[in-house]
């Protein structure tokens, strides 16, 4: 039986000068954000884009708080990656957990893995384990950051650097909005940024363990997220406004 050929970290033909310019611009974006807002928070998934932002925050010393959504269904590699990141950069990442009552309400209605039954149950699970915790993590914040890029999916092609998060009434920034996948990996390689172990096993996009799988070479990089749903259902709701 032939083993499938999975996604692998892409090579980049970006010149050293072009990469250096991108890095300077990224750091300046972060500093400009913190000059405008007093309480800026960064939601890190600990995957490649977010690790590049983490490194840029650490290097620029931008005053930005880190948090991650500890959904209770993450890969062990992701749980371990949080500590790896804290140790490498000497920073603290707040772990934001879902409410036990919300998780139990989902289980009571749909079952532990009921999200496989369709878009509705999937949204309900993400609502309990990700969206409500995100809302709690952003209470009191003036602005927040994401690792979204235009090239990640068809739902993000019109992504801007700065947006109004209508759902939460605060400003949201996507400092890597105009970066390519290859740009991200060029940065990570040059700056020796810690790499999530699952990226080395064919996972370009990483979410909860039961909802993420490896991607075959040539597939969309988010094809492994909620793979049992249609291609236009590759968002959990974190980045959807009212």
């Amino acid at each position: 039986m032939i083993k499938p050929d999975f996604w692998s970290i892409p090579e980049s033909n970006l010149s050293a000068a072009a990469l250096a310019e991108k890095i300077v611009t990224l750091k300046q974006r972060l500093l400009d954000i913190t000059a405008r807002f007093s309480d800026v928070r960064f939601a890190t998934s600990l995957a490649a884009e977010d690790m590049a932002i983490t490194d840029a925050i650490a290097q620029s010393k931008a005053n930005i708080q880190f948090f991650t959504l500890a959904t209770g269904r993450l890969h062990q590699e992701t749980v371990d990656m949080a500590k790896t990141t804290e140790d490498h950069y000497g920073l603290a990442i707040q772990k934001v957990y879902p409410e036990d009552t919300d998780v139990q309400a989902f289980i009571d209605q749909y079952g532990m893995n009921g999200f496989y039954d369709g878009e509705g149950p999937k949204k309900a699970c993400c609502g309990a384990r990700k969206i409500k915790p995100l809302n709690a993590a952003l209470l009191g914040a003036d602005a927040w950051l994401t690792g979204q890029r235009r090239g990640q999916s068809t739902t993000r092609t019109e992504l801007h650097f700065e947006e109004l998060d209508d759902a939460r009434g605060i400003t949201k920034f996507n400092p890597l909005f105009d970066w390519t996948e290859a740009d991200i990996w060029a940065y990570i390689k040059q700056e020796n940024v810690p790499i999530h172990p699952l990226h080395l096993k064919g996972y370009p996009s990483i979410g909860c363990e039961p909802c993420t799988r490896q991607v075959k070479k040539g597939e969309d990089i988010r094809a492994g997220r909620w793979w049992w749903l249609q291609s236009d259902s590759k968002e959990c709701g974190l980045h959807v406004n009212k």
Side-chain angles (χ1 to χ4, degrees):
M1 184 176 178
I2 300 175
K3 290 185 177 180
D5 191 8
F6 291 118
W7 171 91
S8 60
I9 294 172
E11 294 294 330
S12 174
N13 58 7
L14 191 67
S15 70
L19 177 58
E21 183 177 353
K22 277 187 168 289
I23 293 174
V24 168
T25 299
L26 174 59
K27 291 177 182 177
Q28 191 58 54
R29 286 173 178 174
L30 297 172
L31 291 172
D32 288 346
I33 292 167
T34 56
R36 290 175 54 194
F37 299 93
S38 60
D39 189 342
V40 183
R41 304 178 195 178
F42 172 43
T44 176
S45 68
L46 304 160
E49 285 83 2
D50 293 345
M51 290 305 301
I53 293 175
T54 296
D55 188 85
I57 291 172
Q59 288 197 37
S60 66
K61 295 182 169 49
N63 183 23
I64 297 172
Q65 300 176 53
F66 295 82
F67 71 90
T68 192
L69 301 177
T71 66
R73 300 301 301 269
L74 299 176
H75 298 82
Q76 185 59 46
E77 290 91 337
T78 300
V79 175
D80 295 342
M81 189 67 186
K83 186 172 191 311
T84 296
T85 303
E86 289 178 321
D87 292 345
H88 183 85
Y89 292 106
L91 55 82
I93 301 174
Q94 179 190 8
K95 285 72 176 180
V96 184
Y97 298 91
E99 294 288 343
D100 291 342
T101 53
D102 292 332
V103 172
Q104 191 59 51
F106 171 83
I107 295 171
D108 290 345
Q109 182 172 357
Y110 299 105
M112 177 62 76
N113 295 323
F115 40 79
Y116 289 130
D117 293 337
E119 179 70 14
K122 168 248 190 177
K123 284 184 175 180
C125 187
C126 290
R129 293 185 181 274
K130 300 178 77 174
I131 297 172
K132 287 189 70 175
L134 176 68
N135 293 342
L138 293 176
L139 283 176
D142 300 318
W144 68 294
L145 310 183
T146 86
Q148 292 187 106
R149 295 185 295 103
R150 285 177 175 170
Q152 285 173 323
S153 70
T154 57
T155 59
R156 299 179 180 179
T157 55
E158 300 300 320
L159 193 70
H160 297 287
F161 168 59
E162 180 176 344
E163 305 174 308
L164 174 62
D165 184 342
D166 293 318
R168 300 169 186 91
I170 61 175
T171 304
K172 179 169 72 173
F173 290 95
N174 308 298
L176 297 176
F177 78 106
D178 54 352
W179 284 48
T180 68
E181 184 185 25
D183 293 342
I184 297 295
W185 287 104
Y187 180 110
I188 287 172
K189 181 178 180 180
Q190 176 176 291
E191 302 301 316
N192 295 311
V193 178
I195 298 174
H196 194 301
L198 291 180
H199 286 315
L200 305 176
K201 298 179 181 180
Y203 292 77
S205 179
I206 302 166
C208 289
E209 188 276 331
C211 302
T212 311
R213 67 178 182 180
Q214 293 159 300
V215 169
K216 294 177 183 177
K217 193 175 291 292
E219 283 187 304
D220 184 272
I221 60 172
R222 286 179 68 82
R225 304 292 295 277
W226 307 290
W227 66 91
W228 64 93
L229 296 172
Q230 296 300 313
S231 61
D232 59 353
S233 300
K234 300 300 183 180
E235 300 287 355
C236 62
L238 294 182
H239 304 298
V240 177
N241 287 335
K242 292 180 181 178

